[in-house]
């Protein structure tokens, strides 16, 4: 699971915007995302189901993480 959902910076974060684009589920489309976090680690899992291959993108570590549980709920 991506740690971004409980981070104070989720609304402005370039890395979160990138991960959302990879999921083709961008909720940050019209925003000015200008926060660039430091020391991030993104994990990409490769899943195969029948003849389809799915990539799952998750942020596992981020030195800029500031916990604010439920912050993702306020995304427009």
């Amino acid at each position: 699971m991506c740690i971004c959902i409980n981070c104070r910076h989720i609304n402005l974060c370039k890395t979160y915007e990138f991960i959302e684009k990879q999921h083709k589920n961008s909720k940050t489309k019209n925003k000015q995302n200008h926060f660039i976090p430091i020391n991030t680690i993104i994990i990409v899992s490769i899943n195969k189901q029948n003849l389809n291959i799915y990539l799952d993108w998750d942020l596992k570590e981020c030195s800029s993480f500031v916990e604010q549980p439920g912050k993702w709920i306020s995304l427009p």
Side-chain angles (χ1 to χ4, degrees):
M1 173 183 269
C2 188
I3 65 171
C4 299
I5 63 169
N6 287 323
C7 182
R8 181 180 91 187
H9 304 294
I10 191 171
N11 291 327
L12 302 174
C13 184
K14 294 290 265 181
T15 301
Y16 181 72
E17 177 184 35
F18 171 78
I19 291 172
E20 284 291 291
K21 284 180 182 177
Q22 301 315 305
H23 283 281
K24 296 176 178 57
N25 186 22
S26 182
K27 295 177 182 175
T28 57
K29 199 180 252 184
N30 296 322
K31 291 193 169 215
Q32 294 292 328
N33 295 341
H34 59 274
F35 179 76
I36 300 172
I38 56 173
N39 299 325
T40 59
I41 296 176
I42 296 175
I43 303 293
V44 180
S45 302
I46 302 171
N47 302 305
K48 183 179 177 189
Q49 191 174 48
N50 299 324
L51 298 175
N52 297 314
I53 296 176
Y54 301 95
L55 300 178
D56 185 30
W57 298 70
D58 291 313
L59 185 72
K60 293 294 182 182
E61 286 189 35
C62 177
S63 293
S64 299
F65 178 81
V66 178
E67 188 171 18
Q68 188 172 351
K71 182 66 176 175
W72 63 275
I73 295 171
S74 65
L75 286 179

